[in-house]
Amino acid sequence: MKYPNLFTSMNIGSVPIKNRAVMTAMCVGLANHDGSVSEPLAAYYEERARGGAGLIITECTRINEDDAVSHSSMLSMSHDRYIAPLKDAVDRVHAYGTKLFVQLFHPGRQNVVMFPALWRFNERMARIFPRYWDLFFKITGGFDESAMDDPKTVKRMRRYMKPLLAPSDVPCGLGVNPIRNQATKAMTIPQIKTLIGQFVAAAGRVQKAGADGVELHAAHGYLLQQFLSPYTNRREDEYGGSLENRMRLLKEIIDGIRKECGKDFPISVRLSVEEYYDMIGYAGQGIVLEEGVKMAKCLESFGIDVLNVSSGNYDTAQTSCEPVSFAQGWRKYLAKAVKDEVRIPVIAANLIRTPEQAEAQLAEGVQDFIGMGRPFLSDPAWVNKAEEGRSEDIQRCICCLRCMEYFQDHIMNGKPVGCAVNPRACRESEMMDAAPKNGGQRQIVIVGAGPAGLTAAKELAARDFKVTVLERQEEPGGQLLLAKMPPLKEKIAWPAETLARQALQEGAEIRYHVDATKEMINSYQPYAVILATGGEAVAPAIPGSDAENVVTVTPILTGEKRYQGKKIAVIGSGMTGLETAELLQTQGNRVTIIEMADKIAPGAYPVNADDVIGRLKKGGARFMPGRKLERISSNQLHLSRKDGVMESIATDATVLSIGVRSRNELEKEVFGCCDRLYVIGDAKKPGRIGDATRSAFEVAREIQ
């Protein structure tokens, strides 16, 4: 066996786990709006069980319907009515020899005060009108955080709004945390006792549903961790102060579950053993590793069966759900520090992306179980492919955080998350059956071997179409070949590598160094033509933009233009602009980023933006938001502010990162060559990797 440690069984308590691969908890927004397991969610878990996972831990599951609600489509185990739907999902997972734990959760201060209020209002209406939830989302599209800024909404919801419960009145507000300064209230002793009872009762329901165990979510800054952390717990009673007191809540919950469920029902605790406040400039705050290890040892003494080691909270979100720049296995030392001190098994998600990495960390004694969340989103068959010795066929998670953006965007509109590299993710129930193999070797020509073209090629070749891909460059990737060039962006190239391999395995042909023309395409007598010709950087008609020292990001990223020791102005602070600025900075230039919006990186996901901005600041970059580029003259840029003031700055070169436009000139040329002509990806509308793969996937399923 290629990975003997990974595919050795091991017990958690009395429960045997068939291999060491654990799908860790990850909210996907597929539950019914009332908190029960839906068919889409059951299908989502079943797909990962079919893919070989040894243990699946459900997404965070609330323990009450009052103050534990944190989004519109989350699981609940607050009432007996949730037992039967969960049992159906458990049975479907068990059919593949996979075990299932349910993660029990309360958000505490890490919530938006409007969300529980909206839930209380809407749940009351749903009791009166059975189809209320469906109508609510259909008519309103749901709510998001912007509802907090709508005076009418706030006024209507005020009677339902309550301060967020926490160990102490310490609201969120540090780091890149998007949830800031919410009304927060320290819990009373009676509230704490009620909370303990709710966790215990929820665990009892999980057991009745046939699940194999529970996990208590004491990580990532949620309520149980808030009691553990000296930063968020400033209490002076028996639940605050000393380590023993701060751990009292967890101990009483564990004792209660043992009494309710017995000694043979496994209990896992997901524990942040390091909050990493030092990474955002608050050294010495919160939980640090030395105390985190002590917490782990205490939990072992409380009688739990497994520790799921993690890190961070919402203030330091980049340390628990890392952006692309973080190295694989960067925090494995946390798991090793715990494993060296405890005898119970240790699960850890250490940014593991390959079976080779997983096997090595098991062999090194870093951990006992390989925890992965996002990798199961990007490839549900990760484990089966590894066991079959096909690790190169695994579609690896690239840490783009698109799933997290989806979650943030959809948190109150009832829609699920998605994945940039797996267009089937969270749509499993719609696609239980494979696409029909009805291609009959009919010829399809695809122009462009970027993520869109390759996705279409893979899907159509799998359906028995004869697929030929024409690519003008010498390798696959399209825009990803540019996107991978800034520092620490190597993972971005992974999807193209895997998709090209999979397309070839399915029988597609990829021809490189080919400039597609109408005549060439016609020579194939195609049944269908798909144009995936991508996009190109925009060069707006600003006075002076035609000067030799004014370029778009493209020649910088390709290396065609290289500056050193120069003053460079980058116009536009989207992620492409920021990443290009970082590349220029690492090449020894002094960089100024100019942005027309009032803040840098408008619209970018905060964790991604802050990751790059932090390094730019350390390198001495200058940021100038709220300025519009009016004209360029010689070695000067002329900028206007909203207050009408004009500014000028000296620069040796100007790099434009204003946006992308579609490259679809071929569409007019080949129109009429066959009855089926499709334009996909950036060629249709500039977007993200996920937009490209999804549009390609849809077209590939549409062609009959």
Side-chain angles (χ1 to χ4, degrees):
M1 187 177 293
K2 194 171 182 180
Y3 311 108
N5 290 295
L6 183 59
F7 291 100
T8 299
S9 65
M10 187 176 191
N11 276 27
I12 294 179
S14 60
V15 175
I17 310 299
K18 66 180 181 179
N19 57 47
R20 305 297 183 87
V22 176
M23 187 179 105
T24 51
M26 181 173 48
C27 290
V28 290
L30 284 172
N32 288 320
H33 303 310
D34 68 355
S36 60
V37 175
S38 65
E39 170 57 29
L41 184 58
Y44 169 84
Y45 289 136
E46 183 180 7
E47 178 98 340
R48 275 75 194 163
R50 184 186 298 116
L55 169 64
I56 290 174
I57 303 175
T58 70
E59 64 181 74
C60 59
T61 303
R62 63 179 181 258
I63 45 86
N64 71 43
E65 302 301 304
D66 185 35
D67 45 51
V69 181
S70 62
H71 61 94
S72 62
S73 300
M74 72 179 297
L75 279 175
S76 177
M77 287 305 293
S78 64
H79 292 292
D80 288 351
R81 64 176 177 268
Y82 298 119
I83 295 173
L86 175 61
K87 187 179 187 308
D88 174 64
V90 170
D91 291 344
R92 289 164 70 167
V93 166
H94 281 173
Y96 297 93
T98 300
K99 306 301 182 184
L100 185 137
F101 286 10
V102 174
Q103 186 186 75
L104 302 179
F105 153 95
H106 191 294
R109 72 176 192 146
Q110 289 188 170
N111 203 355
V112 176
V113 73
M114 179 67 77
F115 293 171
L118 287 168
W119 174 263
R120 293 181 198 107
F121 175 80
N122 288 317
E123 181 68 0
R124 182 181 178 187
M125 297 299 293
R127 292 193 195 105
I128 302 171
F129 305 108
R131 294 189 61 246
Y132 175 80
W133 277 115
D134 293 334
L135 292 171
F136 170 76
F137 286 108
K138 183 177 181 179
I139 295 170
T140 68
F143 287 99
D144 57 27
E145 288 183 51
S146 64
M148 294 286 291
D149 301 320
D150 180 4
K152 291 183 179 179
T153 300
V154 172
K155 183 177 180 180
R156 185 174 53 162
M157 293 294 107
R158 191 172 300 281
R159 62 180 290 198
Y160 298 95
M161 292 168 65
K162 302 177 182 178
L164 303 174
L165 295 183
S168 304
D169 182 9
V170 182
C172 294
L174 302 178
V176 297
N177 178 10
I179 300 172
R180 296 178 178 273
N181 302 317
Q182 300 286 304
T184 307
K185 180 182 178 183
M187 295 177 71
T188 65
I189 296 295
Q191 287 174 322
I192 291 173
K193 297 301 183 183
T194 297
L195 182 83
I196 293 167
Q198 291 169 341
F199 270 100
V200 172
R205 296 183 188 103
V206 170
Q207 186 180 42
K208 289 175 183 176
D212 302 286
V214 291
E215 178 168 273
L216 302 176
H217 199 346
H220 308 161
Y222 296 116
L223 183 63
L224 297 182
Q225 182 179 330
Q226 291 162 31
F227 271 88
L228 298 177
S229 174
Y231 176 72
T232 46
N233 187 342
R234 316 259 177 104
R235 302 177 72 94
E236 297 179 354
D237 58 15
E238 64 267 37
Y239 290 98
S242 68
L243 177 60
E244 179 184 2
N245 284 354
R246 283 181 278 127
M247 298 210 62
R248 191 179 305 278
L249 173 61
L250 256 177
K251 184 179 188 306
E252 292 180 356
I253 293 172
I254 292 164
D255 289 345
I257 294 174
R258 279 283 175 251
K259 185 176 180 180
E260 175 74 17
C261 301
K263 63 182 179 61
D264 293 328
F265 188 64
I267 300 174
S268 169
V269 173
R270 192 165 203 186
L271 179 70
S272 281
V273 297
E274 170 68 76
E275 290 190 286
Y276 285 117
Y277 274 108
D278 59 320
M279 291 183 68
I280 61 169
Y282 297 90
Q285 293 285 358
I287 299 168
V288 296
L289 181 57
E290 181 180 1
E291 187 172 51
V293 172
K294 291 178 182 177
M295 291 176 179
K297 293 174 71 174
C298 287
L299 288 168
E300 181 182 33
S301 73
F302 297 165
I304 69 168
D305 300 280
V306 63
L307 273 159
N308 189 349
V309 175
S310 193
S311 59
N313 57 38
Y314 275 20
D315 290 339
T316 58
Q318 69 272 28
T319 67
S320 56
C321 194
E322 301 92 337
V324 67
S325 67
F326 281 63
Q328 295 179 78
W330 73 275
R331 54 184 164 119
K332 66 180 184 179
Y333 71 96
L334 301 179
K336 185 67 165 64
V338 172
K339 182 166 169 54
D340 286 346
E341 296 293 332
V342 301
R343 294 185 299 275
I344 57 175
V346 171
I347 304 169
N350 297 319
L351 199 58
I352 295 167
R353 293 296 178 264
T354 67
E356 290 76 14
Q357 180 192 358
E359 179 69 15
Q361 290 186 197
L362 291 170
E364 293 165 13
V366 172
Q367 60 207 88
D368 299 292
F369 287 93
I370 299 300
M372 295 180 291
R374 290 176 287 171
F376 279 106
L377 196 63
S378 59
D379 195 335
W382 193 103
V383 179
N384 283 349
K385 290 178 180 179
E387 190 168 21
E388 294 162 6
R390 298 190 296 119
S391 65
E392 63 276 8
D393 290 333
I394 292 172
Q395 187 58 268
R396 293 161 289 176
C397 166
I398 59 175
C399 302
C400 67
L401 298 183
R402 187 65 176 126
C403 52
M404 298 299 292
E405 290 186 78
Y406 275 124
F407 181 72
Q408 183 172 294
D409 293 345
H410 297 169
I411 197 167
M412 282 303 290
N413 65 18
K415 297 179 182 178
V417 307
C419 176
V421 299
N422 177 15
R424 290 185 78 255
C426 299
R427 305 164 72 195
E428 292 79 10
S429 63
E430 305 169 26
M431 304 171 186
M432 294 298 287
D433 300 321
K437 286 198 171 189
N438 58 356
Q441 285 296 295
R442 288 171 289 177
Q443 177 71 60
I444 291 182
V445 174
I446 299 173
V447 183
L454 292 172
T455 297
K458 168 198 165 187
E459 297 294 332
L460 288 165
R463 292 184 52 204
D464 196 35
F465 284 95
K466 184 178 181 181
V467 178
T468 303
V469 182
L470 308 177
E471 170 55 51
R472 62 176 181 166
Q473 300 192 71
E474 62 184 13
E475 59 181 316
Q479 293 296 303
L480 301 188
L481 298 177
L482 297 179
K484 73 174 184 178
M485 297 310 296
L488 309 175
K489 291 289 297 296
E490 299 85 359
K491 296 185 189 75
I492 293 298
W494 289 354
E497 296 170 6
T498 306
L499 284 168
R501 177 182 176 83
Q502 292 172 339
L504 292 171
Q505 286 179 332
E506 295 291 354
E509 177 191 15
I510 304 176
R511 295 182 57 197
Y512 298 107
H513 290 296
V514 175
D515 277 317
T517 63
K518 179 179 180 179
E519 292 71 27
M520 180 182 293
I521 293 170
N522 280 335
S523 71
Y524 285 93
Q525 299 181 327
Y527 174 74
V529 174
I530 299 174
L531 302 181
T533 44
E536 59 188 359
V538 172
I542 297 171
S545 62
D546 56 351
E548 187 178 352
N549 66 341
V550 180
V551 297
T552 67
V553 297
T554 301
I556 302 298
L557 296 173
T558 61
E560 180 185 343
K561 279 277 188 181
R562 185 181 176 92
Y563 300 103
Q564 188 171 7
K566 302 294 185 182
K567 291 182 291 186
I568 311 288
V570 176
I571 311 300
S573 72
M575 289 306 300
T576 300
L578 293 175
E579 290 162 354
T580 304
E582 185 179 10
L583 176 61
L584 289 163
Q585 187 170 268
T586 61
Q587 293 170 345
N589 299 291
R590 288 169 289 167
V591 179
T592 299
I593 297 100
I594 296 166
E595 170 59 52
M596 187 164 60
D598 291 334
K599 69 173 187 174
I600 297 296
Y605 186 59
V607 175
N608 281 330
D610 190 73
D611 183 48
V612 183
I613 290 170
R615 292 192 296 275
L616 285 168
K617 286 180 177 178
K618 288 180 181 178
R622 180 186 179 193
F623 297 89
M624 298 182 67
R627 273 87 168 175
K628 180 183 178 183
L629 177 61
E630 298 289 352
R631 61 188 178 90
I632 305 168
S633 64
S634 185
N635 289 334
Q636 279 198 323
L637 301 184
H638 302 275
L639 313 170
S640 64
R641 300 190 328 208
K642 288 185 177 180
D643 59 8
V645 174
M646 297 296 296
E647 295 178 335
S648 297
I649 66 167
T651 181
D652 296 315
T654 301
V655 178
L656 302 173
S657 182
I658 307 298
V660 176
R661 66 185 172 197
S662 298
R663 292 186 64 254
N664 52 13
E665 301 84 1
L666 196 58
E667 181 180 9
K668 291 182 180 179
E669 185 180 340
V670 302
F671 182 79
C673 73
C674 67
D675 293 335
R676 298 164 188 84
L677 175 63
Y678 303 90
V679 183
I680 61 175
D682 281 358
K684 183 175 184 179
K685 182 181 179 182
R688 311 272 289 281
I689 297 172
D691 301 317
T693 57
R694 187 152 185 160
S695 69
F697 183 79
E698 301 290 356
V699 164
R701 292 181 71 90
E702 177 184 334
I703 295 174
Q704 298 298 327

